[in-house]
Amino acid sequence: MATDVANQLMDIDNTTDPSTRSIKEQKAADMIKASYGEVKFGKNSLGKTTVSLEKDNKIILQMDSDNGNKLIDILNSFNSYDELKSYLTELGVNV
């Protein structure tokens, strides 16, 4: 799912038509469960498209289209969920 959202983010970043962009933003937002928070799109100071996940008026997660490429590369480097889980555990993330 993370790679799907990252791919959508990069696609949105390359979309110049406001109407088409709005439709793509809604499609990407629909991929994220509402219970996680509110999905918002914008542009950062470098002009890259950003997606933010906000809950209780706090940004929980924010990613721009450049980070989307990096996330996909990282996730594709694992051969299985167990490898990813071990990596996250090493980083101190409870999974």
Side-chain angles (χ1 to χ4, degrees):
M1 162 117 128
T3 56
D4 294 337
V5 173
N7 280 322
Q8 280 289 119
L9 179 60
M10 290 180 297
D11 185 38
I12 291 166
D13 191 53
N14 293 321
T15 302
T16 56
D17 178 64
S19 177
T20 303
R21 183 182 171 95
S22 178
I23 292 167
K24 289 179 178 183
E25 287 177 357
Q26 186 58 52
K27 182 179 175 184
D30 290 345
M31 297 169 75
I32 299 170
K33 291 181 182 178
S35 61
Y36 293 158
E38 184 179 357
V39 178
K40 294 185 179 179
F41 289 89
K43 293 258 186 188
N44 66 15
S45 61
L46 300 174
K48 294 293 181 180
T49 299
T50 61
V51 61
S52 301
L53 184 61
E54 298 181 12
K55 193 160 190 170
D56 300 325
N57 294 319
K58 295 179 185 171
I59 296 174
I60 298 169
L61 173 77
Q62 188 173 61
M63 178 173 47
D64 68 29
S65 51
D66 285 342
N67 298 134
N69 279 321
K70 292 174 189 171
L71 177 62
I72 290 169
D73 290 343
I74 290 168
L75 292 175
N76 285 338
S77 72
F78 297 103
N79 294 313
S80 68
Y81 174 73
D82 288 337
E83 281 185 15
L84 173 61
K85 188 175 174 181
S86 292
Y87 175 74
L88 293 174
T89 301
E90 288 175 21
L91 294 176
V93 177
N94 293 328
V95 288

